[in-house]
Each structure stands twice: as structure tokens, then as C-alpha cells.
Amino acid sequence: MTTQAVFRALADPTRRDILVMLAREDMTIAEVSEHFDMTRAAVKKHLSVLQEGELISVRIEGRARVNHLEPHALILASEWLDSFRRFWDDRFADLHQAIEAEKSKDNKND
Amino acid sequence: MTTQAVFRALADPTRRDILVMLAREDMTIAEVSEHFDMTRAAVKKHLSVLQEGELISVRIEGRARVNHLEPHALILASEWLDSFRRFWDDRFADLHQAIEAEKSKDNKND
DNA sequence: TTTAAATGATACCAAAAGGTATTATAAAAG
DNA sequence: CTTTTATAATACCTTTTGGTATCATTTAAA
């Protein structure tokens, strides 16, 4: 697990969506695929990238592969970002409202 | 500024290194380039990506372009990750030591 | 045991990413 | 004005990325 593997995994919007989905419940490849307009093979590739970055783990149940969120690696990214916190902490309150506005725009664009 | 633009900007190790450098002091393209084994043009491209993600701003001083860290966008990424915090908070203490070990390996691999 | 379901594996393709080299501009210095 | 410095812009190249299609493999079900 490297910082690079984690940030690379987070760089794709499909993969970030998959993480959000897996935060709610474990899912098979087929179940994850239902939520996207792409082939199962493409989704499988994204899941492989997430697994390489160790953001998810997989357990095999019969013929199914059940994907499970592994938050461990996310801590790495979170801590990397935290090292910049001194630059924004003192004006965080001022910025908070602006960020909320940005985030609502975001949902339409991502 | 979108979540996508921010995570895309963070996906490259050179760009993350640039952010760390700019956290210490504002720098021109030439100054940033001195720290990397690539052409100024390549560094300029990375700076453009960082600017598109609004992780840096640029002010023009004569013929120089001075790059400046803008932590605002980093908050967006930080908050996105924080939404997963409930998955790791209760076992954070257990994981902390393992993460420190991972990070020291990291510095060699990134 | 045949068949259907879930996934794995491979080859292939187009677009994007990361890089170089080259040429053009704009501003400071002599 | 000429020259040097700092950067911009463009064309080009190679590798990676995100996707498809196809075929093989494994497991559950009829």
C-alpha cells in the first residue's frame, strides 16, 4: 500500500462512487455493475485498481466475489492532506460555507 | 473546482511534491523545475493541472509567474475522505502504528 | 450431467497523460 | 536597440487508462 496507489485509486469518479456504495454494504461484481452504464469487465478493472490500492478486500463465496471496503488505506490519504491543515485551520469557518456551495455544484459535474 | 479536478490533481506524485514545496514558499516555474529531473515545459503542465484543480493560484510579477498554494480545494478532498471516518475511527489507535510503518516504506516507493 | 450464472483472462482500441523539442513572446538588463 | 531571461504555445511521441468483445473456467441448479 503506497500513497501513490491510494491516490491513483481515488482519481477516478467511478472508483470513488464504488467506495461510497461499498461503505453501505458489501457487494459482488454483478451488484456493483448494475449501478453503472458499462460492462462488468470494466467494473472489474476498477475493482482491481481499488484492490491494488488496498482500498477494498475480496472474499470468495462459492462462485461470487464479495467486495468489502477497507478504510485503512483511506487514512493514509487523509493524513497526507492533514499535513496541510495549518494552512486552512484558522480560516476554516470562513471557507466552510463556500465549500458547501461548491459541493452541491459538484454533484452535478462529477 | 470539482472533486474530480482535485483528485485528478492529487493523483500524480510530482504534483503532490510540488504542493509540499509550495507549502513552504511561493515559487516560480523555474524554481519549481530545479527540483525535478524533467523539462520546464513538463513542470509547467503539472502546474497547469494544479491550477485547473484550483490547488494553486498564480500571480504575475513582471516576466515571472509566481505559484502559490491554495489550500481551499484540499479541504474538499479532506472532507470527502472524512465521510468514511466512521469506518475507521473506532479502530484508529490499532491501525496507527501499522500506518506509520507503511508510510516509511512509502517514501522509498513514491 | 447438462445448463446457467458469476467471474477470470486475454486481445484489442481510442483517448488521455506525461513527457520532449522547437519556436514565439514579453520583460528586464546592458 | 540588442540581448538575455522567463515563460507560452505548439507539435509530436510513448505509455497508461478506461473501455469493449470474446472465450475460458468454476460453481450452482435442474
Side-chain angles (χ1 to χ4, degrees):
Chain A
M1 179 172 67
T2 64
T3 306
Q4 177 53 24
V6 173
F7 275 112
R8 190 227 159 180
L10 293 175
D12 185 274
T14 299
R15 288 195 288 268
R16 289 196 306 278
D17 286 346
I18 290 173
L19 291 179
V20 171
M21 291 167 49
L22 294 181
R24 304 197 59 201
E25 55 176 339
D26 293 355
M27 299 176 85
T28 65
I29 295 178
E31 287 167 342
V32 172
S33 297
E34 286 171 14
H35 294 76
F36 296 99
D37 186 25
M38 65 181 78
T39 62
R40 250 177 294 114
V43 171
K44 168 63 164 62
K45 278 194 185 180
H46 285 303
L47 289 168
S48 296
V49 173
L50 289 170
Q51 203 181 348
E52 281 162 25
E54 294 180 45
L55 285 89
I56 65 173
S57 62
V58 180
R59 69 172 182 278
I60 295 177
E61 292 186 356
R63 61 185 162 181
R65 274 172 65 100
V66 182
N67 299 277
H68 173 77
L69 180 69
E70 287 293 339
H72 187 159
L74 290 173
I75 302 178
L76 205 65
S78 183
E79 291 200 332
W80 190 91
L81 288 170
D82 275 359
S83 70
F84 291 92
R85 189 167 291 274
R86 69 183 177 88
F87 292 100
W88 71 65
D89 256 359
D90 54 342
R91 46 178 174 139
F92 185 88
D94 292 5
L95 292 175
H96 193 71
Q97 200 170 15
I99 288 162
E100 291 305 314
E102 291 285 352
K103 286 205 298 197
S104 52
K105 276 196 301 185
D106 238 29
N107 297 332
K108 305 183 189 97
N109 298 334
D110 267 7
Chain B
M1 179 174 64
T2 65
T3 307
Q4 177 53 24
V6 174
F7 276 111
R8 189 223 160 181
L10 293 174
D12 186 274
T14 299
R15 288 195 289 268
R16 291 196 304 279
D17 286 346
I18 290 173
L19 291 180
V20 171
M21 290 166 50
L22 294 181
R24 304 197 58 200
E25 54 176 339
D26 293 354
M27 298 175 85
T28 64
I29 296 178
E31 286 166 344
V32 173
S33 298
E34 285 172 14
H35 295 76
F36 297 98
D37 187 25
M38 66 180 78
T39 61
R40 251 177 292 114
V43 170
K44 169 62 166 63
K45 280 194 182 180
H46 284 303
L47 289 168
S48 296
V49 173
L50 288 171
Q51 203 180 349
E52 281 162 26
E54 295 180 46
L55 285 87
I56 66 172
S57 62
V58 179
R59 69 172 182 278
I60 296 178
E61 292 186 355
R63 61 185 163 181
R65 276 171 64 100
V66 182
N67 300 277
H68 173 76
L69 179 69
E70 287 294 339
H72 187 159
L74 291 173
I75 302 178
L76 204 65
S78 183
E79 291 200 333
W80 190 91
L81 288 171
D82 275 359
S83 69
F84 291 90
R85 189 167 291 275
R86 69 182 176 88
F87 292 99
W88 73 63
D89 257 0
D90 54 341
R91 46 179 175 139
F92 185 88
D94 292 5
L95 293 175
H96 192 71
Q97 199 170 15
I99 290 161
E100 290 304 315
E102 292 286 352
K103 288 203 300 196
S104 53
K105 275 198 301 186
D106 237 28
N107 295 332
K108 305 182 189 100
N109 298 334
D110 269 6

